[in-house]
Amino acid sequence: MVREFPPPPRAEQFSELIKKRVEEAKAAGGTRETVTVDWNGQQIHVDVVDLPLADLYLNPGTHRIRAQRTHKPDQDRNLDTDPFGEAGQDYLRCLLQAMPSDPELRDPAFDKLKDDLREFGQNDPGLVTHHGVLVNGNTRAVALRELGKQSMRVGVLPSSFTQADIDAVELALQLRQDQRRDYSYINRLLAMEEQAALGRTPEQIAKEFRIRTATYHQERWILSVIKELNDRSASGGGVALRLVDWEGAQERLKELQRLYVKLENLDRDQAEILKERRLAAILLHFSKTDVRHIDEVFLEEAYLEKVLPAELAESPMAAQPESVSIPGLDLDVPAASSAVSAARALNDRILRAAATVRNTTAGLPDSEKASAQALLDQAREAFDRAIDSHGRDARIRKRKQLAPARLADACASIDQCVIELVQARTSNSLDEEAFDEAVLKLQSSLRKLAQQAGRGIPNPGDGVSWLLAAATAEGTR
């Protein structure tokens, strides 16, 4: 849903100043500077004026830091309560210059933007509402203030624009390919969700974000999973994971979605267990290549269960019912299997521990955080051992299959050679000398293969027995 914000302090006075500046720009004659804005499927041109930086407000509804706002829940709530107050604006300033994946750190991209503004000045104008709230250029405004600049060039949106219009304009501007600092992944997901809440179709949203419709549905699935996990991480109404905690997991989440959809049609329970295992590994900061080892074989061979500590394996669970009733419909559907419930129970403990460790608000005792960190360390060690064991076994299986796979390729090549030989003889185009030389090379290769097969296979099957007999018969000629 679109969040409506109250007018900022001194809104009417600033609106009068903006009107005066726009009128002065029109009366000055000559070519006026304007900025083109995409709105409602058309382009409009708004006047650009110079406004004092100190009087401009950072936009509390900007999509650029929507996920990062949850970094400090208490300050996020304060920003909701007083979006244009000093504390709220200072929180926005901190987030706009921070790394999307870790708001505690300063983003090198922000410093790069700041250096560019210092050397070349402001090339492109920002965009403000008629009350002086920045729609585009929030990050530039923060950088210009740090550089000690007193004013900023901005285009002024019409006073008739609603909050929905303002949000649409911001999205259109930020989704252009020439922007220096793109939205972070989670913020793009939130922007898509917001557009869907406005009643836009998946096809319209996909076109707006320059992605395929299938990708849009993938992104919506990922966001729903993230929100579900954040809800599950809250223990008794306590601390919970934040949206910002999932920044940087884009590729791992997309690979999970693709594999989940593939398995869901074959075995729903296996798909659910794999989802829980992979999400736990993502939360424990395993790399993309490590997470890939959590596949169907990983589940079938129970690699994790073999190394899971007893205190983690014995996750507290209530007895699982065989079916669950749907209220109001008098229907019963099968409940989750015990294996799925066990996977969810373990993941819930990891989620709650991660939420406790990553909590940035005061109030949690150090002992509670230490206990949660110990659980995460145990879980990571178990996952690490299981993934390493599966990877090692996979490499062994691959080595075992290399020789048979090579031979299968050779057989396919020989079958193709038979077809081409027939065609060459039919057209009387066979190079008999070259073919004879190739057959001699085949003979030599088969002898070498028979020699090695005779050494390495103590109880040869029918195929290897034939190869050895053929090589022996060849040697006696």
Side-chain angles (χ1 to χ4, degrees), residues 218 221 251 253-263 292:
Q218 179 188 56
W221 183 90
E251 292 303 321
L253 290 169
K254 285 188 173 184
E255 288 190 0
L256 166 60
Q257 188 272 344
R258 288 192 290 267
L259 184 55
Y260 178 85
V261 171
K262 172 186 171 184
L263 293 178
R292 284 175 182 164

Side-chain angles (χ1 to χ4, degrees), residues 293-313:
H293 284 300
I294 302 177
D295 54 15
E296 301 94 317
V297 177
F298 184 89
L299 302 183
E300 292 167 2
E301 298 296 329
Y303 282 100
L304 181 62
E305 288 76 3
K306 294 174 183 176
V307 297
L308 204 61
E311 53 268 34
L312 290 182

Side-chain angles (χ1 to χ4, degrees), residues 44-193:
I44 61 174
H45 306 283
V46 299
D47 289 297
V48 174
V49 297
D50 212 52
L51 292 177
L53 260 173
D55 293 332
L56 295 176
Y57 288 96
L58 300 176
N59 185 3
T62 178
H63 297 81
R64 181 171 295 285
I65 47 87
R66 186 70 59 83
Q68 285 68 34
R69 282 185 50 173
T70 60
H71 174 58
K72 294 185 177 180
D74 53 341
Q75 295 194 40
D76 186 28
R77 288 189 293 270
N78 178 64
L79 185 58
D80 278 333
T81 305
D82 188 11
F84 300 109
E86 183 178 350
Q89 289 286 299
D90 188 61
Y91 185 44
L92 287 174
R93 177 189 61 78
C94 293
L95 294 178
L96 285 165
Q97 62 186 2
M99 287 185 64
S101 57
D102 188 354
E104 291 291 340
L105 303 176
R106 189 176 174 96
D107 191 352
F110 175 81
D111 289 323
K112 184 178 179 180
L113 171 63
K114 184 178 172 182
D115 291 340
D116 184 82
L117 289 169
R118 179 188 292 110
E119 183 173 358
F120 301 107
Q122 183 189 354
N123 293 324
D124 302 316
L127 202 63
V128 295
T129 68
H130 70 290
H131 285 151
V133 179
L134 286 159
V135 177
N136 187 44
N138 285 271
T139 312
R140 274 174 287 169
V142 174
L144 287 169
R145 285 172 179 171
E146 287 198 1
L147 291 171
K149 303 298 182 181
Q150 300 301 310
S151 63
M152 180 178 180
R153 289 172 27 254
V154 291
V156 182
L157 291 176
S159 58
S160 61
F161 268 36
T162 64
Q163 187 63 45
D165 295 329
I166 292 169
D167 289 345
V169 166
E170 185 206 358
L171 276 176
L173 285 167
Q174 295 298 339
L175 291 175
R176 287 179 181 173
Q177 295 299 315
D178 59 351
Q179 295 301 310
R180 290 179 180 171
R181 196 168 180 243
D182 295 331
Y183 281 167
S184 70
Y185 179 58
I186 304 299
N187 287 323
R188 283 178 62 87
L189 300 187
L190 293 171
M192 291 181 199
E193 181 185 53

Side-chain angles (χ1 to χ4, degrees), residues 225 228-234 241 246 256 272-284 304 308 312-313 315-317 339-355 375-376 379 383:
V225 168
E228 177 200 344
L229 292 173
N230 287 358
D231 290 340
R232 285 166 54 186
S233 69
L241 285 171
W246 299 96
L256 166 60
E272 287 294 327
I273 296 171
L274 183 135
K275 182 179 77 170
E276 295 294 333
R277 295 295 190 233
R278 282 206 171 193
L279 288 169
I282 292 171
L283 199 59
L284 292 169
L304 181 62
L308 204 61
L312 290 182
S315 300
M317 294 187 299
V340 174
S341 299
R344 286 178 62 90
L346 172 61
N347 209 5
D348 284 345
R349 296 183 67 185
I350 294 174
L351 287 165
R352 289 193 290 269
L375 187 146
L376 291 180
F383 270 83

